[in-house]
Amino acid sequence: MSKKPFNYWQDHSANYLIMANQFEKRKPMDSPDGHGKKTGDCGDSVEFFLRVNQGILEDICFDIDGCKNTNACANTVIHLAEGETIDEAWNLTPEDVINYLETLPEDSRHCAELSMGAFYLALSSLKNNKPG
């Protein structure tokens, strides 16, 4: 019995399809409160820009040089983190991203780690740039 070929639009979860094909938050931010950029071994780069208001992540944007899976992961980080406190955002993990997407290919799970790594760098820059 031959294996059924993978159908991108039918075999991915709705969450994955939305996050992989969403581009509204893919833009740089002028004068962000936090910024982090990371390049993975695969060559993809993810860059996050954070704006904070009274300890809440009010606006998050990103830019990538990478694949659709990296786009899906970066969008998922924003989906999970925007509107959360800085402390809550620190608790997010690559596994949260993978679980939300549901159908991120096994060989692309490093995209979730790369996206979270860049996001953690942006969170770290908040402590360095903002008092309290």
Side-chain angles (χ1 to χ4, degrees):
M1 186 108 203
S2 65
K3 186 177 178 183
K4 181 183 108 177
F6 185 81
N7 182 310
Y8 179 85
W9 295 105
Q10 293 180 354
D11 294 337
H12 271 301
S13 70
N15 286 347
Y16 176 91
L17 291 172
I18 291 166
M19 294 295 130
N21 294 289
Q22 185 169 284
F23 301 98
E24 295 82 30
K25 292 288 198 166
R26 188 173 171 182
K27 58 188 175 190
M29 179 187 290
D30 291 331
S31 303
D33 297 323
H35 173 260
K37 183 175 182 179
K38 187 168 178 70
T39 301
D41 293 338
C42 64
D44 286 8
S45 293
V46 180
E47 186 172 17
F48 280 101
F49 307 90
L50 311 177
R51 184 149 298 127
V52 178
N53 185 5
Q54 297 181 5
I56 304 291
L57 292 169
E58 183 175 74
D59 190 19
I60 307 171
C61 296
F62 74 98
D63 198 9
I64 64 166
D65 180 10
C67 66
K68 193 167 282 290
N69 293 319
T70 300
N71 195 71
C73 291
N75 271 313
T76 300
V77 170
I78 292 173
H79 176 77
L80 296 173
E82 207 166 57
E84 300 293 327
T85 67
I86 295 167
D87 288 341
E88 290 166 335
W90 274 109
N91 291 323
L92 294 174
T93 66
E95 291 75 26
D96 293 326
V97 172
I98 292 165
N99 291 338
Y100 182 82
L101 291 172
E102 300 174 282
T103 57
L104 182 67
E106 186 79 32
D107 63 350
S108 293
R109 293 184 175 215
H110 67 277
C111 299
E113 293 171 4
L114 174 61
S115 294
M116 284 305 306
F119 183 67
Y120 293 146
L121 289 173
L123 289 173
S124 289
S125 78
L126 287 173
K127 290 183 178 182
N128 295 332
N129 294 331
K130 300 285 271 181

